Amino acid sequence: QVQLVESGGGLVQAGGSLRLSCAASGRAFSAYDMGWFRQAPGKEREFVAAITRTGTHTDYTDSVKGRFTISRDNAKNTVYLQLNSLKPEDTAAYYCAAGTYGSSRSRWSYNYWGQGTQVTVSS
């Protein structure tokens, strides 16, 4: 079992930045690949970024490439998502997830999920 708690969301103007954190507890954090997903009202939950358990490989959905950066600190049991150059269309609840299928884009590859943190970008 892994428990995940996201933080760092908030209200920001377009062009601004936020840093999301996801703190893990329970089983060894370094045994899990981590992903970030987001869900806007009325839309499906979508993949944003993922990182393998050692941090050697990352993946991003096209709409955030060059603006968002995923990273992890296994000593602190935490994964981060740096959000830069935010756009109104980035507004969503952001969720972190843990799994063991690599840096997968599929939500079904992740076994554990946090409760989410809201990011709202005003124009």
PDB file of all heavy atoms in Angstrom, residues 90-118:
ATOM      1  N   ASP A  90      -4.997  24.790 -18.734  1.00  0.00           N
ATOM      2  CA  ASP A  90      -4.365  23.898 -17.760  1.00  0.00           C
ATOM      3  C   ASP A  90      -5.195  23.759 -16.482  1.00  0.00           C
ATOM      4  O   ASP A  90      -4.854  22.971 -15.601  1.00  0.00           O
ATOM      5  CB  ASP A  90      -2.973  24.410 -17.383  1.00  0.00           C
ATOM      6  CG  ASP A  90      -1.999  24.389 -18.540  1.00  0.00           C
ATOM      7  OD1 ASP A  90      -1.990  23.387 -19.289  1.00  0.00           O
ATOM      8  OD2 ASP A  90      -1.250  25.378 -18.696  1.00  0.00           O
ATOM      9  N   THR A  91      -6.260  24.531 -16.372  1.00  0.00           N
ATOM     10  CA  THR A  91      -7.117  24.472 -15.198  1.00  0.00           C
ATOM     11  C   THR A  91      -7.721  23.078 -15.047  1.00  0.00           C
ATOM     12  O   THR A  91      -8.349  22.557 -15.970  1.00  0.00           O
ATOM     13  CB  THR A  91      -8.242  25.512 -15.297  1.00  0.00           C
ATOM     14  OG1 THR A  91      -7.660  26.822 -15.263  1.00  0.00           O
ATOM     15  CG2 THR A  91      -9.223  25.365 -14.143  1.00  0.00           C
ATOM     16  N   ALA A  92      -7.493  22.470 -13.892  1.00  0.00           N
ATOM     17  CA  ALA A  92      -7.964  21.107 -13.631  1.00  0.00           C
ATOM     18  C   ALA A  92      -7.574  20.708 -12.218  1.00  0.00           C
ATOM     19  O   ALA A  92      -6.764  21.381 -11.571  1.00  0.00           O
ATOM     20  CB  ALA A  92      -7.355  20.118 -14.621  1.00  0.00           C
ATOM     21  N   ALA A  93      -8.132  19.597 -11.778  1.00  0.00           N
ATOM     22  CA  ALA A  93      -7.616  18.939 -10.583  1.00  0.00           C
ATOM     23  C   ALA A  93      -6.467  18.035 -11.021  1.00  0.00           C
ATOM     24  O   ALA A  93      -6.612  17.279 -11.981  1.00  0.00           O
ATOM     25  CB  ALA A  93      -8.705  18.120  -9.903  1.00  0.00           C
ATOM     26  N   TYR A  94      -5.359  18.137 -10.326  1.00  0.00           N
ATOM     27  CA  TYR A  94      -4.173  17.364 -10.676  1.00  0.00           C
ATOM     28  C   TYR A  94      -3.975  16.248  -9.650  1.00  0.00           C
ATOM     29  O   TYR A  94      -4.007  16.496  -8.436  1.00  0.00           O
ATOM     30  CB  TYR A  94      -2.945  18.271 -10.714  1.00  0.00           C
ATOM     31  CG  TYR A  94      -2.871  19.107 -11.961  1.00  0.00           C
ATOM     32  CD1 TYR A  94      -3.763  20.150 -12.175  1.00  0.00           C
ATOM     33  CD2 TYR A  94      -1.933  18.843 -12.956  1.00  0.00           C
ATOM     34  CE1 TYR A  94      -3.727  20.910 -13.338  1.00  0.00           C
ATOM     35  CE2 TYR A  94      -1.875  19.601 -14.116  1.00  0.00           C
ATOM     36  CZ  TYR A  94      -2.779  20.627 -14.295  1.00  0.00           C
ATOM     37  OH  TYR A  94      -2.728  21.384 -15.452  1.00  0.00           O
ATOM     38  N   TYR A  95      -3.752  15.043 -10.172  1.00  0.00           N
ATOM     39  CA  TYR A  95      -3.615  13.864  -9.347  1.00  0.00           C
ATOM     40  C   TYR A  95      -2.261  13.195  -9.580  1.00  0.00           C
ATOM     41  O   TYR A  95      -1.830  13.074 -10.733  1.00  0.00           O
ATOM     42  CB  TYR A  95      -4.695  12.846  -9.694  1.00  0.00           C
ATOM     43  CG  TYR A  95      -6.100  13.323  -9.477  1.00  0.00           C
ATOM     44  CD1 TYR A  95      -6.777  14.017 -10.477  1.00  0.00           C
ATOM     45  CD2 TYR A  95      -6.757  13.072  -8.276  1.00  0.00           C
ATOM     46  CE1 TYR A  95      -8.077  14.461 -10.286  1.00  0.00           C
ATOM     47  CE2 TYR A  95      -8.059  13.504  -8.081  1.00  0.00           C
ATOM     48  CZ  TYR A  95      -8.702  14.204  -9.080  1.00  0.00           C
ATOM     49  OH  TYR A  95      -9.995  14.631  -8.886  1.00  0.00           O
ATOM     50  N   CYS A  96      -1.630  12.743  -8.517  1.00  0.00           N
ATOM     51  CA  CYS A  96      -0.452  11.898  -8.699  1.00  0.00           C
ATOM     52  C   CYS A  96      -0.867  10.443  -8.505  1.00  0.00           C
ATOM     53  O   CYS A  96      -1.870  10.146  -7.842  1.00  0.00           O
ATOM     54  CB  CYS A  96       0.683  12.283  -7.775  1.00  0.00           C
ATOM     55  SG  CYS A  96       0.424  11.928  -6.034  1.00  0.00           S
ATOM     56  N   ALA A  97      -0.083   9.560  -9.097  1.00  0.00           N
ATOM     57  CA  ALA A  97      -0.402   8.145  -9.072  1.00  0.00           C
ATOM     58  C   ALA A  97       0.874   7.324  -9.050  1.00  0.00           C
ATOM     59  O   ALA A  97       1.908   7.762  -9.580  1.00  0.00           O
ATOM     60  CB  ALA A  97      -1.250   7.763 -10.284  1.00  0.00           C
ATOM     61  N   ALA A  98       0.799   6.143  -8.456  1.00  0.00           N
ATOM     62  CA  ALA A  98       1.953   5.250  -8.343  1.00  0.00           C
ATOM     63  C   ALA A  98       1.631   3.913  -8.983  1.00  0.00           C
ATOM     64  O   ALA A  98       0.531   3.366  -8.801  1.00  0.00           O
ATOM     65  CB  ALA A  98       2.321   5.055  -6.876  1.00  0.00           C
ATOM     66  N   GLY A  99       2.595   3.375  -9.717  1.00  0.00           N
ATOM     67  CA  GLY A  99       2.404   2.085 -10.360  1.00  0.00           C
ATOM     68  C   GLY A  99       3.729   1.409 -10.607  1.00  0.00           C
ATOM     69  O   GLY A  99       4.786   1.910 -10.213  1.00  0.00           O
ATOM     70  N   THR A 100       3.670   0.280 -11.285  1.00  0.00           N
ATOM     71  CA  THR A 100       4.890  -0.496 -11.535  1.00  0.00           C
ATOM     72  C   THR A 100       5.015  -0.895 -12.993  1.00  0.00           C
ATOM     73  O   THR A 100       5.614  -1.928 -13.322  1.00  0.00           O
ATOM     74  CB  THR A 100       4.895  -1.745 -10.644  1.00  0.00           C
ATOM     75  OG1 THR A 100       3.707  -2.507 -10.866  1.00  0.00           O
ATOM     76  CG2 THR A 100       4.999  -1.381  -9.172  1.00  0.00           C
ATOM     77  N   TYR A 101       4.466  -0.096 -13.906  1.00  0.00           N
ATOM     78  CA  TYR A 101       4.494  -0.416 -15.328  1.00  0.00           C
ATOM     79  C   TYR A 101       5.285   0.602 -16.139  1.00  0.00           C
ATOM     80  O   TYR A 101       4.989   0.856 -17.310  1.00  0.00           O
ATOM     81  CB  TYR A 101       3.066  -0.520 -15.863  1.00  0.00           C
ATOM     82  CG  TYR A 101       2.330  -1.712 -15.306  1.00  0.00           C
ATOM     83  CD1 TYR A 101       1.537  -1.580 -14.168  1.00  0.00           C
ATOM     84  CD2 TYR A 101       2.430  -2.956 -15.888  1.00  0.00           C
ATOM     85  CE1 TYR A 101       0.865  -2.658 -13.644  1.00  0.00           C
ATOM     86  CE2 TYR A 101       1.760  -4.053 -15.369  1.00  0.00           C
ATOM     87  CZ  TYR A 101       0.984  -3.893 -14.244  1.00  0.00           C
ATOM     88  OH  TYR A 101       0.329  -4.971 -13.722  1.00  0.00           O
ATOM     89  N   GLY A 102       6.300   1.183 -15.512  1.00  0.00           N
ATOM     90  CA  GLY A 102       7.118   2.144 -16.227  1.00  0.00           C
ATOM     91  C   GLY A 102       6.449   3.495 -16.293  1.00  0.00           C
ATOM     92  O   GLY A 102       5.499   3.778 -15.566  1.00  0.00           O
ATOM     93  N   SER A 103       6.912   4.340 -17.181  1.00  0.00           N
ATOM     94  CA  SER A 103       6.357   5.688 -17.308  1.00  0.00           C
ATOM     95  C   SER A 103       5.147   5.640 -18.242  1.00  0.00           C
ATOM     96  O   SER A 103       5.127   6.241 -19.306  1.00  0.00           O
ATOM     97  CB  SER A 103       7.416   6.651 -17.833  1.00  0.00           C
ATOM     98  OG  SER A 103       7.966   6.168 -19.044  1.00  0.00           O
ATOM     99  N   SER A 104       4.139   4.929 -17.784  1.00  0.00           N
ATOM    100  CA  SER A 104       2.965   4.673 -18.614  1.00  0.00           C
ATOM    101  C   SER A 104       2.060   5.888 -18.717  1.00  0.00           C
ATOM    102  O   SER A 104       1.914   6.659 -17.757  1.00  0.00           O
ATOM    103  CB  SER A 104       2.172   3.496 -18.040  1.00  0.00           C
ATOM    104  OG  SER A 104       0.966   3.322 -18.749  1.00  0.00           O
ATOM    105  N   ARG A 105       1.412   6.044 -19.881  1.00  0.00           N
ATOM    106  CA  ARG A 105       0.421   7.097 -20.093  1.00  0.00           C
ATOM    107  C   ARG A 105      -0.991   6.635 -19.735  1.00  0.00           C
ATOM    108  O   ARG A 105      -1.929   7.431 -19.755  1.00  0.00           O
ATOM    109  CB  ARG A 105       0.452   7.567 -21.543  1.00  0.00           C
ATOM    110  CG  ARG A 105       1.752   8.241 -21.954  1.00  0.00           C
ATOM    111  CD  ARG A 105       1.655   8.847 -23.329  1.00  0.00           C
ATOM    112  NE  ARG A 105       2.831   9.638 -23.666  1.00  0.00           N
ATOM    113  CZ  ARG A 105       2.833  10.628 -24.554  1.00  0.00           C
ATOM    114  NH1 ARG A 105       1.737  10.942 -25.197  1.00  0.00           N
ATOM    115  NH2 ARG A 105       3.943  11.298 -24.812  1.00  0.00           N
ATOM    116  N   SER A 106      -1.135   5.374 -19.463  1.00  0.00           N
ATOM    117  CA  SER A 106      -2.464   4.832 -19.191  1.00  0.00           C
ATOM    118  C   SER A 106      -2.798   4.924 -17.707  1.00  0.00           C
ATOM    119  O   SER A 106      -2.040   4.447 -16.852  1.00  0.00           O
ATOM    120  CB  SER A 106      -2.538   3.374 -19.626  1.00  0.00           C
ATOM    121  OG  SER A 106      -3.748   2.794 -19.177  1.00  0.00           O
ATOM    122  N   ARG A 107      -3.961   5.456 -17.400  1.00  0.00           N
ATOM    123  CA  ARG A 107      -4.377   5.555 -15.996  1.00  0.00           C
ATOM    124  C   ARG A 107      -4.535   4.173 -15.374  1.00  0.00           C
ATOM    125  O   ARG A 107      -4.430   4.016 -14.150  1.00  0.00           O
ATOM    126  CB  ARG A 107      -5.679   6.332 -15.884  1.00  0.00           C
ATOM    127  CG  ARG A 107      -6.824   5.750 -16.650  1.00  0.00           C
ATOM    128  CD  ARG A 107      -8.065   6.604 -16.554  1.00  0.00           C
ATOM    129  NE  ARG A 107      -8.603   6.644 -15.198  1.00  0.00           N
ATOM    130  CZ  ARG A 107      -9.756   7.198 -14.880  1.00  0.00           C
ATOM    131  NH1 ARG A 107     -10.486   7.790 -15.804  1.00  0.00           N
ATOM    132  NH2 ARG A 107     -10.182   7.198 -13.638  1.00  0.00           N
ATOM    133  N   TRP A 108      -4.753   3.155 -16.209  1.00  0.00           N
ATOM    134  CA  TRP A 108      -4.980   1.803 -15.701  1.00  0.00           C
ATOM    135  C   TRP A 108      -3.681   1.141 -15.263  1.00  0.00           C
ATOM    136  O   TRP A 108      -3.703   0.058 -14.668  1.00  0.00           O
ATOM    137  CB  TRP A 108      -5.694   0.972 -16.756  1.00  0.00           C
ATOM    138  CG  TRP A 108      -6.918   1.654 -17.270  1.00  0.00           C
ATOM    139  CD1 TRP A 108      -7.115   2.159 -18.517  1.00  0.00           C
ATOM    140  CD2 TRP A 108      -8.091   1.987 -16.518  1.00  0.00           C
ATOM    141  NE1 TRP A 108      -8.345   2.763 -18.595  1.00  0.00           N
ATOM    142  CE2 TRP A 108      -8.971   2.681 -17.396  1.00  0.00           C
ATOM    143  CE3 TRP A 108      -8.502   1.758 -15.192  1.00  0.00           C
ATOM    144  CZ2 TRP A 108     -10.210   3.140 -16.984  1.00  0.00           C
ATOM    145  CZ3 TRP A 108      -9.749   2.212 -14.793  1.00  0.00           C
ATOM    146  CH2 TRP A 108     -10.575   2.893 -15.677  1.00  0.00           C
ATOM    147  N   SER A 109      -2.543   1.764 -15.546  1.00  0.00           N
ATOM    148  CA  SER A 109      -1.253   1.224 -15.127  1.00  0.00           C
ATOM    149  C   SER A 109      -0.885   1.619 -13.709  1.00  0.00           C
ATOM    150  O   SER A 109       0.143   1.182 -13.198  1.00  0.00           O
ATOM    151  CB  SER A 109      -0.155   1.700 -16.078  1.00  0.00           C
ATOM    152  OG  SER A 109      -0.367   1.217 -17.387  1.00  0.00           O
ATOM    153  N   TYR A 110      -1.701   2.441 -13.093  1.00  0.00           N
ATOM    154  CA  TYR A 110      -1.388   2.966 -11.764  1.00  0.00           C
ATOM    155  C   TYR A 110      -2.362   2.407 -10.731  1.00  0.00           C
ATOM    156  O   TYR A 110      -3.571   2.413 -10.921  1.00  0.00           O
ATOM    157  CB  TYR A 110      -1.429   4.487 -11.793  1.00  0.00           C
ATOM    158  CG  TYR A 110      -0.374   5.061 -12.707  1.00  0.00           C
ATOM    159  CD1 TYR A 110      -0.636   5.275 -14.059  1.00  0.00           C
ATOM    160  CD2 TYR A 110       0.900   5.356 -12.222  1.00  0.00           C
ATOM    161  CE1 TYR A 110       0.348   5.764 -14.905  1.00  0.00           C
ATOM    162  CE2 TYR A 110       1.879   5.863 -13.071  1.00  0.00           C
ATOM    163  CZ  TYR A 110       1.597   6.068 -14.408  1.00  0.00           C
ATOM    164  OH  TYR A 110       2.563   6.554 -15.237  1.00  0.00           O
ATOM    165  N   ASN A 111      -1.788   1.933  -9.642  1.00  0.00           N
ATOM    166  CA  ASN A 111      -2.569   1.261  -8.620  1.00  0.00           C
ATOM    167  C   ASN A 111      -3.035   2.190  -7.499  1.00  0.00           C
ATOM    168  O   ASN A 111      -4.044   1.918  -6.848  1.00  0.00           O
ATOM    169  CB  ASN A 111      -1.747   0.134  -7.990  1.00  0.00           C
ATOM    170  CG  ASN A 111      -1.228  -0.834  -9.029  1.00  0.00           C
ATOM    171  OD1 ASN A 111      -0.069  -0.764  -9.418  1.00  0.00           O
ATOM    172  ND2 ASN A 111      -2.071  -1.723  -9.490  1.00  0.00           N
ATOM    173  N   TYR A 112      -2.276   3.240  -7.260  1.00  0.00           N
ATOM    174  CA  TYR A 112      -2.546   4.113  -6.115  1.00  0.00           C
ATOM    175  C   TYR A 112      -2.664   5.561  -6.589  1.00  0.00           C
ATOM    176  O   TYR A 112      -1.887   6.006  -7.445  1.00  0.00           O
ATOM    177  CB  TYR A 112      -1.436   3.991  -5.067  1.00  0.00           C
ATOM    178  CG  TYR A 112      -1.204   2.578  -4.617  1.00  0.00           C
ATOM    179  CD1 TYR A 112      -0.143   1.831  -5.107  1.00  0.00           C
ATOM    180  CD2 TYR A 112      -2.087   1.968  -3.728  1.00  0.00           C
ATOM    181  CE1 TYR A 112       0.058   0.525  -4.711  1.00  0.00           C
ATOM    182  CE2 TYR A 112      -1.895   0.658  -3.323  1.00  0.00           C
ATOM    183  CZ  TYR A 112      -0.829  -0.061  -3.819  1.00  0.00           C
ATOM    184  OH  TYR A 112      -0.642  -1.362  -3.425  1.00  0.00           O
ATOM    185  N   TRP A 113      -3.603   6.254  -5.995  1.00  0.00           N
ATOM    186  CA  TRP A 113      -3.916   7.634  -6.405  1.00  0.00           C
ATOM    187  C   TRP A 113      -4.062   8.528  -5.182  1.00  0.00           C
ATOM    188  O   TRP A 113      -4.529   8.095  -4.124  1.00  0.00           O
ATOM    189  CB  TRP A 113      -5.235   7.663  -7.185  1.00  0.00           C
ATOM    190  CG  TRP A 113      -5.150   6.986  -8.505  1.00  0.00           C
ATOM    191  CD1 TRP A 113      -5.261   5.642  -8.753  1.00  0.00           C
ATOM    192  CD2 TRP A 113      -4.926   7.606  -9.767  1.00  0.00           C
ATOM    193  NE1 TRP A 113      -5.114   5.394 -10.102  1.00  0.00           N
ATOM    194  CE2 TRP A 113      -4.908   6.584 -10.743  1.00  0.00           C
ATOM    195  CE3 TRP A 113      -4.737   8.923 -10.183  1.00  0.00           C
ATOM    196  CZ2 TRP A 113      -4.715   6.852 -12.095  1.00  0.00           C
ATOM    197  CZ3 TRP A 113      -4.543   9.186 -11.516  1.00  0.00           C
ATOM    198  CH2 TRP A 113      -4.535   8.152 -12.456  1.00  0.00           C
ATOM    199  N   GLY A 114      -3.666   9.780  -5.368  1.00  0.00           N
ATOM    200  CA  GLY A 114      -3.928  10.785  -4.348  1.00  0.00           C
ATOM    201  C   GLY A 114      -5.312  11.375  -4.525  1.00  0.00           C
ATOM    202  O   GLY A 114      -6.053  10.996  -5.445  1.00  0.00           O
ATOM    203  N   GLN A 115      -5.653  12.327  -3.672  1.00  0.00           N
ATOM    204  CA  GLN A 115      -6.979  12.951  -3.687  1.00  0.00           C
ATOM    205  C   GLN A 115      -7.046  14.143  -4.625  1.00  0.00           C
ATOM    206  O   GLN A 115      -8.140  14.641  -4.917  1.00  0.00           O
ATOM    207  CB  GLN A 115      -7.361  13.373  -2.271  1.00  0.00           C
ATOM    208  CG  GLN A 115      -7.570  12.198  -1.333  1.00  0.00           C
ATOM    209  CD  GLN A 115      -8.669  11.275  -1.824  1.00  0.00           C
ATOM    210  OE1 GLN A 115      -9.787  11.690  -2.084  1.00  0.00           O
ATOM    211  NE2 GLN A 115      -8.345  10.005  -1.984  1.00  0.00           N
ATOM    212  N   GLY A 116      -5.913  14.606  -5.084  1.00  0.00           N
ATOM    213  CA  GLY A 116      -5.906  15.693  -6.055  1.00  0.00           C
ATOM    214  C   GLY A 116      -5.672  17.058  -5.432  1.00  0.00           C
ATOM    215  O   GLY A 116      -5.956  17.285  -4.255  1.00  0.00           O
ATOM    216  N   THR A 117      -5.145  17.962  -6.247  1.00  0.00           N
ATOM    217  CA  THR A 117      -4.976  19.355  -5.863  1.00  0.00           C
ATOM    218  C   THR A 117      -5.443  20.221  -7.030  1.00  0.00           C
ATOM    219  O   THR A 117      -5.129  19.920  -8.182  1.00  0.00           O
ATOM    220  CB  THR A 117      -3.525  19.664  -5.466  1.00  0.00           C
ATOM    221  OG1 THR A 117      -3.426  21.002  -4.969  1.00  0.00           O
ATOM    222  CG2 THR A 117      -2.551  19.486  -6.623  1.00  0.00           C
ATOM    223  N   GLN A 118      -6.195  21.265  -6.736  1.00  0.00           N
ATOM    224  CA  GLN A 118      -6.805  22.076  -7.788  1.00  0.00           C
ATOM    225  C   GLN A 118      -5.846  23.149  -8.283  1.00  0.00           C
ATOM    226  O   GLN A 118      -5.248  23.883  -7.489  1.00  0.00           O
ATOM    227  CB  GLN A 118      -8.083  22.735  -7.262  1.00  0.00           C
ATOM    228  CG  GLN A 118      -8.794  23.612  -8.268  1.00  0.00           C
ATOM    229  CD  GLN A 118      -9.372  22.831  -9.446  1.00  0.00           C
ATOM    230  OE1 GLN A 118      -9.833  21.698  -9.283  1.00  0.00           O
ATOM    231  NE2 GLN A 118      -9.353  23.431 -10.624  1.00  0.00           N
TER     232      GLN A 118
END
